[in-house]
């Protein structure tokens, strides 16, 4: 039976779950919720870089991304940062929707699936 590796588990979630060479991240939000959507997005992408690196992978191996924005009108600002973060030709399958996030100060949340 293949081992399931859970990173920083708590009673309701793990920061990431690795199984059979796949890495599934939690929905990552900014640490400083006083930032604007661009600041929060930069922080989320940096956290995702660190989490992927911890699992021996990176954003060249993305398979899927799910993105939630508090305000879908911020999509262009998010996309500018997202496009700059992605290596050329490595865009994953992606959904980007407006949603009600857990804290009203949260402006963006991103969850990834990648492979090693």
């Amino acid at each position: 039976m293949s081992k399931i590796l859970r990173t920083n588990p708590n009673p309701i979630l793990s920061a990431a779950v690795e199984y059979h060479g796949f890495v599934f991240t939690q929905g990552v939000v900014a640490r400083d919720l006083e930032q604007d959507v661009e600041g929060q997005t930069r922080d989320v992408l940096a956290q995702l870089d660190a989490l992927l690196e911890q699992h021996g992978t990176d954003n060249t191996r993305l398979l899927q991304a799910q993105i939630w924005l508090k305000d879908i009108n911020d999509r262009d600002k998010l996309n500018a940062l997202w496009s700059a973060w992605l290596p050329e030709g490595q865009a994953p399958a992606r959904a980007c929707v407006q949603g009600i996030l857990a804290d009203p100060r949260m402006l963006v949340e991103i969850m990834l699936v990648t492979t090693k």
Side-chain angles (χ1 to χ4, degrees), residues 103-116:
D103 182 314
R105 298 172 300 158
M106 292 175 181
L107 305 178
V108 60
E109 182 171 353
I110 301 175
M111 175 186 273
L112 301 176
V113 177
T114 189
T115 187
K116 293 184 81 168

Side-chain angles (χ1 to χ4, degrees), residues 52-72:
L52 296 177
E53 182 178 339
Q54 186 176 351
H55 284 269
T57 191
D58 60 32
N59 64 351
T60 67
R61 310 284 294 161
L62 296 178
L63 300 174
Q64 183 181 50
Q66 297 177 37
I67 302 172
W68 296 270
L69 287 169
K70 178 178 181 176
D71 182 348
I72 200 66

